[in-house]
Amino acid sequence: MSTLPQCPQCSSEFTYEDGENYVCPECAHEWPQQAAAGGDEQRVVKDSNGNVLQDGDTVTVIKDLKIKGASSVVKVGTKVKNIRLVKGDHDIDCKIDGIGAMQLKSEFVKKA
């Protein structure tokens, strides 16, 4: 069973879906479902220590990372400059010297 949001005007928990809107039966307030989902919300990406990462930051790899489909490894302590945050499982897009373009998970880096 899915949980529907409470009414933003009267905080009633008896809201229901009507097409692409939510409706409150107590105060008759209607609002779009996409607005309730928070579609324009900014995603916060944190490193292994809980520091917030931003585009252009420099990070350090905290664990040896095997590269899928290659015999090389990204070693602990490798500095990665000018990262770019992207959506997805691997949330850091970067270029590593000697290896090339890669995607990393934020849980395996710390902010330098």
Side-chain angles (χ1 to χ4, degrees):
M1 183 173 168
S2 66
T3 57
L4 298 175
Q6 292 183 345
C7 175
Q9 284 197 327
C10 70
S11 299
S12 171
E13 58 187 37
F14 301 112
T15 57
Y16 62 91
E17 293 178 354
D18 183 27
E20 295 182 11
N21 292 330
Y22 289 121
V23 179
C24 176
E26 293 184 1
C27 70
H29 178 65
E30 294 185 23
W31 69 99
Q33 290 180 9
Q34 288 184 353
D40 293 340
E41 197 172 298
Q42 187 72 1
R43 186 170 159 225
V44 177
V45 177
K46 295 184 179 184
D47 69 358
S48 61
N49 295 333
N51 298 318
V52 177
L53 296 174
Q54 297 177 347
D55 287 346
D57 282 347
T58 299
V59 295
T60 305
V61 177
I62 63 166
K63 175 182 175 183
D64 281 349
L65 301 173
K66 294 180 183 177
I67 300 173
K68 200 175 211 179
S71 60
S72 57
V73 174
V74 178
K75 295 286 190 178
V76 172
T78 302
K79 284 200 173 192
V80 182
K81 298 178 183 175
N82 199 18
I83 65 170
R84 188 170 56 108
L85 301 178
V86 294
K87 291 183 180 178
D89 186 32
H90 292 72
D91 42 16
I92 297 174
D93 207 8
C94 62
K95 287 185 181 177
I96 299 177
D97 293 338
I99 296 174
M102 288 199 59
Q103 289 188 328
L104 301 172
K105 291 186 177 183
S106 58
E107 62 195 67
F108 298 122
V109 299
K110 68 178 181 179
K111 195 169 185 178

